Every structure is written in C-alpha cells, then in structure tokens.
Amino acid sequence: MLRADNPGPMTLDGTRSYVLRAPGSSGCVVVDPGPLLEPHLAALAGTGPVELALVTHRHPDHTGGLARFRELTGAPSRGGLPEFSVGGGVGGDDATVEPLADGEIVSAAGLRVEALATPGHTADSVCFVVSAPDHPASGSVVLTGDTVLGRGTTVLAEPDGSLRDYLASLDRLSALDLPGPVLGLPGHGPVIQDLGSAVHAYREHRLERLGQVRSALTGLGAELPDAGSPLPDTLLDAVTGAVYADVDPSVLIAARSSVRAQLEYLRGR
C-alpha cells in the first residue's frame, strides 16, 4: 500500500493505492493510482512492472493520476466507466476497452480479481475480491474503495449516490462466501480487520441515520414533495442541520449530500 499525500476532511490521511501480486510474481496490479501527484505516481510505477491498473470509482482522489500513471507504466486500466477503461502498451495505446462488468473475473500478476458492482457511494463504485489461485493458503481480501472505509462512514455522493443501492451493496458484501474474518482494504483509513463486522455496523448506522431523518422531518413539520419534484434547498439545509448538528463544518457539504440520498429513499425514488 502507498498512501497519497492528499489529507483532508474527506480523504482522511490520504487516498490509499494498493499494489497487489501473487507470491513469486514479478508483475503487479495497482488499484486506484490516486490523485495527480507526481511523486506518488512515480513511487507506484517503481513497484512494477505493472500489468494492470484498476479503479474503484470515479472520484479524482482515486483517478486523477490515472492517465499519467498509464504514461509512466504502459499498463492498461479498467473501471466501471468507459473513461477509465483504456488499453495499454508502449506508444500510449489509448483505445477504449470494455468497462468492468459485474462479476467479471480478471487474471493478472498471478491473481484472480473478481469485480463486484457496489453502487451507492457513486453509481460506478466497484469492489474487488482478490485471491491467488496457486496459493490458496493466502486467502482472499476485498478492496472496498469508498464503499466501506477504514474509519468513519461513507458519503452518498451527489449526483448519483443512492441509499437504496448502497444498502443493497452492503447486503451483497455481507453475502460473500469467503472464509472469515476477511480483510478489507479501503480507499481511506486503516485496514479493516473483519469486513463482515464492519459491513454490519455500516448498515446499522445507515438505518439509524434514516430514523433520525424521519424524526427531523416530523420535528420540522415538513412534508416531502412528490417524487420527480426538486427537493427544496431550505428543506435539505434544515434536515442536515438537525441530523448532523454535531459534525465538523468542513464535512457539512458531504452530510447534505447524504441527506439528499436519504430523503430520496424515503420518497421512493
């Protein structure tokens, strides 16, 4: 793991890039090259040869340096969106390749990487279940991007964050048939020692927040507009202030984004 020097309220102590390879493999897979920070990208490129770069979702702290990383390594990249799925090779082949499909198995650096679509944080969020088929004793790990963090909770990011999708994604992670406890490698924060327990706690937290949003609506005497109508800014601000009164002001914009997703969930969109 290499951590980018981009600390902040939303990135914690920095975005984590992961270098993965099976025992004895010279090549590697890099997950989330991170922001456009030349020293970070150079350090990642130095762990090569890089056979493949993967991205968990579109946010620039995970993908801002991807194009430059492809230049440095000649490696192809894959993600849930076409703009991150690009061929590699010497000479800079920038031909678009197919985005990752849900359930697709990718083989590189002696590893088996299964892509799991886990929308919610963003519509294109993907988790990766990684194992080394020739070394079964090494077990499996799950790279969770921003779907499950090592510390704190995940934002349901505008414009396409969805609580309904996010709860379904948490259920999908809970249902993984892996011998436990399974390590989770998040995009931010420390390693998750027991992913199953963390996912359960995340789900409980989301349902608790949803109850708080319902209570806030009741306390404000507010009614949700019909599905398809815009959510008024005054309503978003009032509910955010009531539910997230104790959070640092630096993350209130993110909290407001999650409130929007919770209100959309309540009105059935």
Side-chain angles (χ1 to χ4, degrees):
M1 186 278 293
L2 294 177
R3 178 169 49 83
D5 186 17
N6 64 331
M10 301 305 299
T11 57
L12 304 182
D13 58 350
T15 302
R16 280 156 165 70
S17 301
Y18 291 94
V19 179
L20 309 173
R21 51 168 52 91
S25 175
S26 59
C28 67
V29 174
V30 170
V31 178
D32 286 347
L36 185 54
L37 296 174
E38 197 69 28
H40 178 71
L41 298 174
L44 279 176
T47 65
V50 180
E51 296 183 16
L52 177 66
L54 297 171
V55 297
T56 59
H57 66 292
R58 68 171 187 270
H59 284 156
D61 62 306
H62 295 258
T63 62
L66 180 61
R68 174 59 177 152
F69 187 67
R70 286 197 302 263
E71 291 178 358
L72 291 171
T73 63
S77 63
R78 301 286 303 283
L81 295 175
E83 55 261 45
F84 306 131
S85 303
V86 179
V90 177
D93 178 7
D94 59 356
T96 299
V97 296
E98 286 297 314
L100 287 168
D102 183 30
E104 182 176 350
I105 307 297
V106 177
S107 297
L111 300 172
R112 177 187 188 274
V113 182
E114 181 178 1
L116 296 181
T118 51
H121 171 64
T122 62
D124 70 307
S125 289
V126 180
C127 291
F128 298 110
V129 182
V130 181
S131 60
D134 294 336
H135 303 272
S138 60
S140 300
V141 296
V142 181
L143 287 92
T144 59
D146 285 4
T147 298
V148 183
L149 303 179
R151 175 165 57 86
T153 55
T154 295
V155 174
L156 306 177
E158 294 190 47
D160 56 2
S162 164
L163 179 57
R164 190 175 304 279
D165 288 348
Y166 188 67
L167 292 175
S169 293
L170 292 180
D171 289 344
R172 188 172 194 194
L173 290 173
S174 292
L176 287 175
D177 186 18
L178 299 173
V182 175
L183 288 180
L185 304 182
H188 306 276
V191 170
I192 303 164
Q193 296 299 322
D194 184 346
L195 181 60
S197 294
V199 167
H200 176 75
Y202 261 49
R203 200 178 201 287
E204 292 300 305
H205 172 77
R206 280 294 165 204
L207 296 178
E208 180 183 4
R209 284 295 196 200
L210 193 61
Q212 293 169 352
V213 169
R214 287 193 181 98
S215 296
L217 287 170
T218 300
L220 293 166
E223 293 187 4
L224 287 171
D226 293 337
S229 302
L231 289 169
D233 287 340
T234 52
L235 178 62
L236 283 168
D237 292 338
V239 174
T240 302
V243 175
Y244 291 92
D246 58 342
V247 305
D248 189 286
S250 64
V251 297
L252 275 178
I253 292 177
R256 190 177 188 273
S257 178
S258 288
V259 165
R260 180 186 294 277
Q262 290 161 334
L263 293 175
E264 296 286 10
Y265 177 88
L266 288 176
R267 67 176 182 170
R269 177 178 285 183

